[in-house]
Amino acid sequence: MVHLLIVEDDPTIRTPLLRALRERGHAVAAAHTAMGGLQTALDERPDLVVLDLGLPDLDGIELLRMLRAVSPVPVIIATARDDEAEIVRGLDAGADDYVVKPFTAAQLEARIRAVLRRGAGAREPVGATVVGDLRIDPGTREATLAGAVLDLTPREFDLLHHLASRAGQVVTKRELLTEVWQVPYGSADKTVDVHLSWLRRKLGESAQDPRYLHTVRGVGVRLSAPADRP
């Protein structure tokens, strides 16, 4: 049985959603405020959280960031905010999926199944990737450079791991948005550029003097060991 937490302040949405998901065999808890949702998530440790953004005490993005600081629980944002900037903001903050209201319980349940399947796959043992002095271990989610642990955010780690898994290949920004940010639409190249800039800084390099991350103008970026430069 999947244990869900619905954080939604509107009872006209929350109540029928609770009923529909319970009828589908799920154990469902609910909270109508951000802080109540955080406390319930910590106390009950659900398998997945469905999160509204328009909460009365805190914006849902703030709750998402608080959750991400203490728990890897999958989160699906369910909100009426449908502009691309909000979608990118939610996914950047750590959401696993984003669904726009109105939606049916069947549609939400399909999203829940998909997110949980991805999470199950991510928990399978995977070996570390080594590129030069870089070592990226997806099992422990730790990256080191010449033995020193890199202080990476979850998104920076995912970006580095994706590039390292394709070491020597040019990866387009569209692929990074699709595979790392899971945004298969729109244009958000600046999101990728900003994260690459932060990642370069932590690798001790710059776009003007790259060691591992090499921009291929008009195409994308390639990660390769310094000795492997063409």
Side-chain angles (χ1 to χ4, degrees), residues 146-163:
V149 176
L150 296 172
D151 182 19
L152 304 179
T153 67
R155 188 71 70 189
E156 289 166 352
F157 180 89
D158 291 340
L159 176 58
L160 181 62
H161 180 237
H162 187 83
L163 290 169

Side-chain angles (χ1 to χ4, degrees), residues 133-137 142-150:
D133 289 334
L134 267 175
R135 185 178 189 276
I136 301 100
D137 188 339
E142 182 177 86
T144 59
L145 178 61
V149 176
L150 296 172

Side-chain angles (χ1 to χ4, degrees), residues 11 15 18 21 33 64 67 85 93 97 122 131 167 170 177 203-206:
T15 301
L18 285 170
L21 291 171
T33 64
L64 177 56
L67 272 174
D97 200 354
V131 182
V170 179
L177 284 169
L203 292 173
E205 61 182 71
S206 66

Side-chain angles (χ1 to χ4, degrees), residues 41-124:
L42 294 175
D43 291 344
E44 300 195 11
R45 298 184 178 275
D47 298 311
L48 184 141
V49 176
V50 178
L51 173 62
D52 181 29
L53 295 184
L55 299 170
D57 51 342
L58 282 176
D59 186 82
I61 294 293
E62 293 305 313
L63 171 56
L64 177 56
R65 293 192 177 111
M66 295 166 75
L67 272 174
R68 279 290 162 264
V70 296
S71 171
V73 61
V75 175
I76 296 177
I77 290 176
T79 180
R81 300 178 191 175
D82 61 354
D83 58 289
E84 183 184 350
E86 280 296 316
I87 295 171
V88 171
R89 180 169 169 251
L91 294 170
D92 278 349
D96 295 271
D97 200 354
Y98 194 110
V99 58
V100 176
K101 298 174 182 176
F103 53 82
T104 66
Q107 290 169 344
L108 179 60
E109 188 183 33
R111 300 287 190 113
I112 290 169
R113 289 196 302 268
V115 168
L116 292 177
R117 278 198 304 270
R118 290 201 299 268
R123 288 191 293 270
E124 294 174 0

